[in-house]
Structure formats: structure tokens, C-alpha cells
Amino acid sequence: MDLRLTETQEAARQTARELAEKKLLPAAAKLDAGETFPVEAVKDLAEAGLLGMRIPESHGGAALDTVSYALTLMEIARADAAVAVTLSVNNLVAETLANFATPAQKDAWLPRLNTPEGLGAFALTEPQAGSDASNLRTRAEHKGSHYLLNGEKTWITSANHAGVFLVMAVTDPAKRSKGISAFLVEGGAKGMTVGKHEPKMGQRASHSCPVFFKDCKVPAANLLGGEGEGLKVALSGLDSGRIGIASLSVGILQACLEEMLRYSKERTAFGKPIADFQAIQWMIADTAVELEAARNLTLAAAWRKDAGEPIGEKAAMAKLFASEAANRAAYRATQVFGGYGYSREFRVERLYRDARVLTLYEGTSEIQRLVIARNVLK
Ligand code: CAA
């Protein structure tokens, strides 16, 4: 792996950094406090060509490589993790579509994911099926020219602003994991309703909603992949998605380190800046090492993906390490700030809350370990 960035990768990072510093960071605290969906940020991302950055050029996207994508998410998450997860879920849907869609489906659906109105939602999780993704209950009954969807999804990112839903549902209950299929459903489709977004601890400007299907008619042409291939569609999409969440984690780690450095040089105690104390220096050193390790694991997984190698295990490793390290970094940053770190007036309080979900969504740390162990033991 070549650790030097190409011109394209450097340019993608720079574009994202400018947008993050000029627009996203100044708006982040207010959006978080109001649980306000980042409508303007999504428009800005679309204008900067970042919303559909992994969509092929033939379908209006920027067709950036995975390393550029990871670098972009790191910069966005450094400013606002809620915006970054909105972007990464859009990309999760776009990439899964690009990998499994027929040419006609690509023409019909991919260009929408470049636009704020066509934002993607990935509808896998159900109230009783989070980690156990094959235990779905949402039913899709084949009725000739269409399927009829009935059931309930939960924790669906951006559902109340999405235009393109990727929905996994059971087509043949007897076949269990081989009886699940994936469907493309338009936002606002008759028979699909989106409930109120969850009040959350962190990443509050990203909205996570329940979605209900009651006799929702989906054209048979909207089946993505073959019937019974839905779990494979979803889980292979999540392999890539986990590189996205690892990148988000790196962004939060970076922000924690920056805050620790700035504050520890400004704040004095016992007659000198607290950065002069070894207790603080060790926390800074540990965070710097973990940032470096997390970034390298994430970029290595992205690089392997671009090289066409299998990435399941490496993406799980990057997501596990980076998300856990981001939580340790947020804990240390709060320690360095002392009581101020517990105040809503300071950025580290938001970073601490935003970091927490990183070890939960797109597969908990325990699921990442399961994926890694299965690979290591085989
Ligand atoms: N790619 C493609 N296919 C895969 C796969 C992968 N990475 N992993 C498994 N499969 C296939 C298997 O080959 C198998 O198919 P066959 O029977 O044809 O061989 C089928 O899927 C079932 O696999 P397993 O037997 O391994 O299933 P399992 O139930 O033992 O375990 C699991 C699977 C790894 C635990 C999986 O269920 C999993 O990853 N769970 C976590 C789900 C998750 O990450 N949810 C996140 C929700 S989305 C989200 O958070 C997005 C957001 O909004 C922020």
C-alpha cells in the first residue's frame, strides 16, 4: 500500500476540509441542540459533488475511489458527525445499488442519490432484529407484477428526509437467511409511513426513524439482486459501510486530539499550562497513537477495496478499533477539560456523545469481533 495520497485524493480531502471548516463546524452545535436535520449541509455536499461521490460518472456521480471517500468522511465528521453519517448512509445505499442493480435500475435510481431530495435510507434493522440481521419479519409477498410489503423497520437513518429506500424483507420464511430479498422503494410510497425520529444521546442532527409498511405495493422491477439474495446484498453493503463508520470515528478522534492540544496549552493550573504535566501528556500521546493507528487501518481497508480485494474482515477491524479508540479519546478529552468538558458550552461534550453510537451502528463491536474471529479462525 502506498501511503502517499494521489492528487485526486488530496483534492477530495481539501474540498471536504474547506466545506467542513467554513460551513459545517460553525453550524454543528446549534443543529445538535435543536435536533435539526442538516438540510443546508446536505445541499452543500450535493453542490460540492460529495453527496454522490462514489456514484459512477455515467450516472452523474464523482466516481471517487474509496480512499478519497474515507478521507472526505474523516474531514466532515471532524466538524459534524451527524452530517457525516447522513452522507455515509447515502453512500451505503448508492454503492449497494451500483453493485447489484440491473442497468435499467441504475438509470432509474442512481442519479437521484446525487440529490438532496433523493437521499438514501438503508432499511434493514427491525425492533427484534438488530445484530441478528437474518431474523427479519417484514414480509414481501410476490403478487405477480408487484410485491406487497408489510412490517416495521426501526432506527432508519434519514428516513424522514429520504427519497430512495433500500428495504430488506422476507420473501420466503421457510428459507430463513436465503429467504430475504432487497427492494428499492420510493420515498412517500403509498403504504409506507415514517414515524417520528428518536430522541438520541448524540449525532442528534442525524434523524433515525421507524418506518411502517402496510400493504405497500412495490413493482417487481424494484427487486434488487435476485429473490433470496437480500441478506447478501445488505451484508456486503455493510462491509463497505463499516469503512465509512471507521472514517467517521477517525474524524472524531482527530477533533478530540485538536481540542486536547488547544485547551491544554491555554489552561493553566499550579502556575503552568496543564500541557506541561505528564498526566496530560500521556493522554495526548495515547490519543495521537490511536489516531494514527485508526487512520492507517481505515485507509488500508479502503485501499484494499480499491484494489478489488475482499474487505469484510479488514473493514470490521478498522471499524472496531477506530470506534473504540474514538470513545477512549472522547473520554480523555473530557478529562483534560475537567468540569468544562461536561458543559454544553464546549465542543468536547458533543464529541463525547457523538462518539458513543460508533460502537453500536452498522454492527456493534461484538459483531465486528464475531466477523473478525470467523475470518481469523477459518
Ligand atoms: N457479504 C456477503 N454475504 C454475507 C456476508 C458478507 N459480508 N456475511 C454473511 N453473508 C452471507 C453468508 O454467506 C450466508 O449466506 P449463505 O447461507 O448463502 O452462505 C448468509 O449471509 C448468512 O450469513 P451467516 O450464516 O454468517 O449469518 P449469521 O446470522 O450467523 O451472522 C452477522 C451474520 C455477521 C451476525 C450479520 O447478521 C451481521 O453483520 N449483523 C449485524 C447487522 C448490522 O450491522 N446492522 C447494522 C444496521 S444498518 C445501520 O446501522 C446503518 C445506519 O443507519 C447507520
Side-chain angles (χ1 to χ4, degrees), residues 275-313:
D276 287 359
F277 293 104
Q278 205 175 45
I280 303 294
Q281 290 171 3
W282 285 17
M283 287 196 266
I284 288 173
D286 286 344
T287 305
V289 172
E290 292 192 335
L291 171 60
E292 186 75 10
R295 187 190 285 128
N296 286 340
L297 272 176
T298 305
L299 292 179
W303 185 87
R304 281 174 194 276
K305 182 160 182 235
D306 288 333
E309 294 178 21
I311 50 145
E313 179 194 10

Side-chain angles (χ1 to χ4, degrees), residues 67-87:
V67 170
S68 299
Y69 171 63
L71 292 165
T72 299
L73 276 180
M74 288 173 192
E75 294 299 330
I76 306 284
R78 192 177 139 233
D80 189 337
V83 174
V85 75
T86 307
L87 175 59

Side-chain angles (χ1 to χ4, degrees), residues 10 27 40 80 107 154 201 222 230 247 268 283 300 309 354 365:
E10 198 50 82
E40 289 307 315
D80 189 337
D107 291 347
T154 190
M201 174 195 282
N222 292 13
S247 308
T268 57
M283 287 196 266
E309 294 178 21
D354 283 355
S365 289

